[in-house]
Amino acid sequence: MSSANAENNNEMVVTPWEVKGKVDYDRLIREFGTQPLNPELLARLEKHTGKLHLQIERRIFFSHRDLDTVLSLYEQGTKFVLYTGRGPSGPVHIGHLVPWIFTRHLQEKFKTRLYFQITDDEKFLIDDESTLAETSKWSYENALDLIAVGFKPKDTFIIYDTKDIDLLYDITLEVAKRITYSTARSSFGFQDSTNIGWVYWPAIQAAPCFIHKKLTGENVPALIPAAIDQDPYWRVTRDIAQKLGYCKPAQIHCRFLPGLGAGGKMSASMPETSIFTTDLPNVVKKKIWNAFTGGRGTAAEQRKLGADPTVCSIFQYYFFLFEEDSTKLEERQRKCCAGEMLCGECKIDIVAQLNKFLEGHRERREKAKDIIEEYHVKR
Ligand code: TRP
């Protein structure tokens, strides 16, 4: 596995298939060899987007490769395309929505196309238990969530791997031919017991980086907004892009939304600590009520000593999604530390906000059922 891999159980592991331990994002920047988002680059971004998006301002998106190059080309009149995706292993939770919301923002500001890959094949290959019927069911369900974020069919192209493999196949062959087994093994940690489908598979995640040229004739870079665990794919793809006559794909990387437990990212495999988009109000309430916070043993103690928002999962939801006003966020933090606001009050607020948000999302998700075909990539 990658160099950010674990020696023991508490240590950080960040690979495309596993994220555990306390994630040290500065260390990932060093080990993956990416660039932090610096003020100069942000000032440039701001010229195009107007006020910086909350996820940039708070460094939820914190690192990149070649964002500067993509902006330079854009300033000279060459547009980029956006590319991101989803492995349909189960229902979408609010952590998945974080980079999608940001992608939507970029699409709106830069008026670019989005290619969105749904990797039912990947999830089938890496999970011994899964079936293709199951992963394609989740492909459909997850696409509804993507559409509910607000993407428009005119410039959003969903690629369902098993349905659209004919479109990707020649590109995956070009890619696969130029990546050696030794490079793939050291980037992805393959072992003797790894099935051979999985070994080929990275070529399929690389292909949408280059699909725009095939569809339109335009050779422009792809900018990929995604969580940093996907970075190994982009490293191998960037190495071979120019040899194949394409631009290197650029990335902008985000953090993981923590789960509702003590530490760890939100993960669909731990449903009790994840808020799914389809969770009904009473389920949301129950999950939040059981969530880990930075509170004290008793209310009296907390009033006296204050609590610790830095370890609190609820505070993170305000930070990532639900308190857009930074002054109000600071005020919440201050009251928490001072013992002026107890966890119950904070939880009541977040339940109300979450349920309001999810209600709107579910309405849009229902409507998406009628228009989902309009998003399917056209040849
Ligand atoms: N491998 C990703 C996952 O398991 C899915 C994916 C495919 C993706 N292409 C992508 C994610 C591009 C981000 C960007 O979720």
Side-chain angles (χ1 to χ4, degrees), residues 11-79:
E11 224 192 309
M12 165 170 88
V13 182
V14 177
T15 74
W17 305 291
E18 187 179 25
V19 176
K20 67 175 194 201
K22 182 161 172 36
V23 181
D24 176 342
Y25 291 100
D26 292 330
R27 191 176 136 203
L28 287 179
I29 288 183
R30 287 194 305 275
E31 293 192 359
F32 286 179
T34 67
Q35 305 296 316
L37 287 180
N38 64 34
E40 188 198 337
L41 185 57
L42 295 187
R44 257 178 100 186
L45 190 62
E46 196 171 12
K47 272 200 279 166
H48 299 288
T49 63
K51 187 178 160 5
L52 288 172
H53 193 271
L54 172 115
Q55 293 187 21
I56 290 275
E57 223 174 53
R58 296 190 183 161
R59 298 294 194 279
I60 293 167
F61 275 84
F62 68 103
S63 147
H64 78 103
R65 293 179 194 275
D66 275 347
L67 179 61
D68 43 351
T69 313
V70 159
L71 287 181
S72 297
L73 281 169
Y74 186 82
E75 284 157 7
Q76 292 155 21
T78 303
K79 266 201 183 176

Side-chain angles (χ1 to χ4, degrees), residues 210-349:
F210 308 134
I211 192 80
H212 188 70
K213 186 174 174 191
K214 180 169 174 177
L215 293 176
T216 65
E218 291 167 9
N219 195 8
V220 302
L223 171 64
I224 308 169
I228 189 138
D229 61 327
Q230 298 297 306
D231 194 65
Y233 288 112
W234 319 130
R235 292 202 287 271
V236 297
T237 309
R238 285 167 57 82
D239 280 349
I240 51 111
Q242 285 167 326
K243 279 181 230 157
L244 299 180
Y246 297 111
C247 307
K248 278 189 181 187
Q251 288 81 47
I252 179 161
H253 305 106
C254 69
R255 297 167 194 260
F256 308 105
L257 181 71
L260 292 163
K265 82 172 187 36
M266 191 170 276
S267 163
S269 58
M270 296 197 294
E272 63 297 346
T273 61
S274 300
I275 303 284
F276 297 108
T277 59
T278 48
D279 280 348
L280 294 173
N282 54 344
V283 176
V284 170
K285 188 169 167 198
K286 188 160 157 246
K287 287 181 179 177
I288 293 293
W289 232 246
N290 291 328
F292 178 79
T293 69
R296 304 270 175 182
T298 66
E301 221 182 306
Q302 190 159 333
R303 284 213 177 82
K304 196 161 133 219
L305 300 171
D308 181 3
T310 62
V311 298
C312 174
S313 59
I314 304 295
F315 186 75
Q316 292 298 315
Y317 297 164
Y318 286 112
F319 181 82
F320 271 75
L321 285 164
F322 294 108
E323 183 49 86
E324 296 189 6
D325 180 334
S326 295
T327 318
K328 286 193 186 153
L329 187 72
E330 270 168 38
E331 179 58 7
R332 186 175 288 277
Q333 184 169 14
R334 189 198 62 73
K335 280 181 165 169
C336 169
C337 293
E340 287 171 29
M341 183 169 51
L342 301 187
C343 296
E345 194 185 326
C346 211
K347 283 181 168 177
I348 288 172
D349 290 353

Side-chain angles (χ1 to χ4, degrees), residues 348-360:
I348 288 172
D349 290 353
I350 203 89
V351 168
Q353 295 210 42
L354 258 167
N355 280 333
K356 190 169 148 228
F357 169 78
L358 290 177
E359 194 187 315

Side-chain angles (χ1 to χ4, degrees), residues 120-139:
D120 51 351
D121 50 352
E122 176 189 23
K123 294 299 153 184
F124 171 70
L125 287 168
I126 67 174
D127 175 3
D128 280 346
E129 308 297 311
S130 71
T131 62
L132 281 172
E134 231 167 57
T135 59
S136 56
K137 172 193 139 203
W138 287 118
S139 297

Side-chain angles (χ1 to χ4, degrees), residues 144-274:
L144 297 177
D145 284 296
L146 178 80
I147 295 168
V149 169
F151 293 96
K152 300 287 176 286
K154 178 173 68 71
D155 48 13
T156 304
F157 298 78
I158 301 180
I159 301 164
Y160 301 90
D161 279 352
T162 56
K163 279 190 204 162
D164 299 317
I165 192 63
D166 57 328
L167 194 60
L168 301 178
Y169 193 52
D170 53 351
I171 307 177
T172 73
L173 286 172
E174 293 279 3
V175 169
K177 190 171 179 175
R178 281 163 188 81
I179 299 175
T180 64
Y181 179 61
S182 143
T183 299
R185 192 185 45 205
S186 64
S187 304
F188 298 104
F190 298 137
Q191 286 160 9
D192 282 357
S193 58
T194 305
N195 71 58
I196 60 172
W198 192 346
V199 174
Y200 184 83
W201 198 80
I204 299 178
Q205 180 150 328
C209 296
F210 308 134
I211 192 80
H212 188 70
K213 186 174 174 191
K214 180 169 174 177
L215 293 176
T216 65
E218 291 167 9
N219 195 8
V220 302
L223 171 64
I224 308 169
I228 189 138
D229 61 327
Q230 298 297 306
D231 194 65
Y233 288 112
W234 319 130
R235 292 202 287 271
V236 297
T237 309
R238 285 167 57 82
D239 280 349
I240 51 111
Q242 285 167 326
K243 279 181 230 157
L244 299 180
Y246 297 111
C247 307
K248 278 189 181 187
Q251 288 81 47
I252 179 161
H253 305 106
C254 69
R255 297 167 194 260
F256 308 105
L257 181 71
L260 292 163
K265 82 172 187 36
M266 191 170 276
S267 163
S269 58
M270 296 197 294
E272 63 297 346
T273 61
S274 300

